[in-house]
Amino acid sequence: MSILNQKTINSKISVSGIGLHSGKNVNLNILPANPNEGISFKRVDIVNDEKIVSPLFNNVCDTNLCTTINNHAGVKVSTIEHLMAALYILGIDNVVIELDSQEVPILDGSSKDWINIIKKAGIKNSNSPIKVIKINKTVEIRNSDKFIRADVSNINLDIDFEIKYPNTMIGSQRNKISVYNDNLEDIYNSRTFCKYEDIDNLKRLGLAKGGSLDNALVIDKFKLLNKEGLRNNKEFVNHKILDCIGDIYLSGYKVVGSITCSQGGHSLTHQLLVKLFSDKKNYSVFELKGKNLPHSLIEKYQLKSIA
Ligand SMILES: [Zn+2]
């Protein structure tokens, strides 16, 4: 059995928690799925409409502070990005995610708990090779001084991300990671964040109803309100990289390319995927077999297969 084959989980996972924006309690199950079924969300609370919502870029209906997808009946699933990032990082290709409310639980605001829960359930290989999307041409989305760009890379998925926040302790941070080579612990441990001064406004807009110091870093000008402090010294930009990994997985497969982003977020990453897939010259999709793989990727999947 090749280590490059598609993976699912060994056994059913059940998680309960609240939605960051809805504040509602949600029960979520992750179930094993067959090769080539991909990842799907299933709204088990929906009675009369189509329950299945696929996490694909062309199903994205909202990118304001989180990524929300819907199906043709308008049934939605929101704040999917941290769970999608955990699945990407662990190399999971096929699962069914059942939930009884619209929003995926926020847990601790990072992907740490998702990673631990999935690892505990175990990862199961199949006999089907994984598919990969390779960037063939530079594609860029620019919005004044914010931009995101996908460039060609022969062997990896690199993400180079910078943020620039004026007048707060967040400030400017930049980090560059190699998704298939690096230890991503600092990435998946990094929590979502917001400015204290924005909270009233978010709540007026019906957002962040479930937000607390248990699931978000909150910054009051130059002070972090979370008593336990930061988990790593680039936690803010590392969380943006985590979001970017989760949002890139809405391409449907793992990606080989080089992503550079300044001050982007869910919206820019989504626009990048829309532009990328609007022209078949921009990318190619192929099955990964041992002989056409970089050594680094093979090692990464070997590690995963015994994790
Ligand atoms: Zn996030």
Side-chain angles (χ1 to χ4, degrees):
M1 189 165 60
S2 168
I3 49 161
L4 302 169
N5 288 349
Q6 295 180 38
K7 292 168 194 65
T8 187
I9 52 170
N10 259 334
S11 55
K12 179 179 170 181
I13 292 165
S14 295
V15 179
S16 294
I18 58 159
L20 174 64
H21 295 300
S22 65
K24 284 187 183 158
N25 194 65
V26 55
N27 300 300
L28 183 146
N29 297 320
I30 309 178
L31 305 157
N34 294 318
N36 299 314
E37 286 185 358
I39 297 165
S40 57
F41 287 87
K42 185 176 179 186
R43 284 280 304 273
V44 295
D45 56 318
I46 298 292
V47 181
N48 293 322
D49 278 323
E50 171 65 42
K51 294 179 170 61
I52 305 291
V53 192
S54 297
L56 295 171
F57 72 94
N58 47 1
N59 287 337
V60 170
C61 59
D62 194 353
T63 53
N64 186 24
L65 298 177
C66 69
T67 297
T68 303
I69 49 170
N70 69 3
N71 61 21
H72 61 88
V75 172
K76 293 179 183 176
V77 181
S78 55
T79 318
I80 63 170
E81 58 272 17
H82 305 157
L83 174 53
M84 291 300 292
L87 294 170
Y88 195 118
I89 288 166
L90 290 172
I92 307 287
D93 305 282
N94 306 296
V95 280
V96 176
I97 302 160
E98 294 180 343
L99 66 173
D100 65 359
S101 185
Q102 181 181 304
E103 192 174 15
V104 172
I106 189 65
L107 304 181
D108 76 341
S110 74
S111 294
K112 180 183 169 201
D113 292 344
W114 291 119
I115 294 273
N116 289 337
I117 294 163
I118 295 166
K119 272 188 174 172
K120 207 171 153 199
I123 296 168
K124 189 179 169 191
N125 262 302
S126 73
N127 290 319
S128 302
I130 60 171
K131 286 181 183 155
V132 166
I133 291 164
K134 189 172 185 306
I135 310 287
N136 293 334
K137 272 175 75 178
T138 297
V139 176
E140 185 179 74
I141 299 287
R142 196 169 272 276
N143 180 356
S144 63
D145 59 339
K146 300 175 182 179
F147 72 89
I148 186 165
R149 187 174 65 240
D151 291 301
V152 179
S153 160
N154 288 327
I155 58 164
N156 222 313
L157 173 61
D158 301 311
I159 302 179
D160 181 347
F161 208 114
E162 74 173 346
I163 54 173
K164 293 176 183 173
Y165 280 73
N167 306 323
T168 76
M169 69 163 287
I170 304 170
S172 295
Q173 287 191 344
R174 184 172 180 178
N175 200 9
K176 183 177 179 184
I177 61 147
S178 173
V179 175
Y180 307 127
N181 285 325
D182 292 349
N183 178 341
L184 299 180
E185 204 173 338
D186 280 351
I187 304 298
Y188 64 70
N189 280 346
S190 290
R191 291 161 287 177
T192 193
F193 57 92
C194 72
K195 289 186 282 181
Y196 182 73
E197 68 207 57
D198 293 337
I199 290 177
D200 279 349
N201 204 21
L202 288 172
K203 293 205 166 162
R204 261 199 301 276
L205 293 168
L207 296 165
K209 286 180 191 161
S212 75
L213 293 171
D214 292 331
N215 56 35
L217 295 167
V218 182
I219 300 95
D220 187 8
K221 299 208 170 61
F222 292 97
K223 192 169 146 233
L224 180 69
L225 299 186
N226 305 66
K227 288 203 173 66
E228 74 278 15
L230 295 173
R231 290 180 178 172
N232 59 76
N233 60 12
K234 289 187 177 177
E235 187 163 0
F236 303 111
V237 74
N238 283 342
H239 185 80
K240 299 292 283 186
I241 292 172
L242 182 72
D243 282 341
C244 189
I245 294 172
D247 287 338
I248 280 174
Y249 208 6
L250 272 69
S251 59
Y253 300 116
K254 292 178 190 70
V255 171
V256 171
S258 185
I259 307 291
T260 310
C261 185
S262 180
Q263 303 162 81
H266 304 303
S267 175
L268 277 194
T269 309
H270 171 58
Q271 291 175 58
L272 181 77
L273 292 186
V274 171
K275 190 168 178 183
L276 175 72
F277 290 110
S278 68
D279 185 344
K280 286 190 172 164
K281 291 193 207 89
N282 291 338
Y283 67 97
S284 46
V285 181
F286 60 94
E287 285 189 342
L288 264 194
K289 303 200 171 97
K291 60 178 169 30
N292 59 18
L293 254 196
H295 192 63
S296 58
L297 198 62
I298 294 174
E299 280 181 348
K300 179 79 181 175
Y301 280 81
Q302 268 173 338
L303 286 174
K304 275 178 194 162
S305 67
I306 56 167

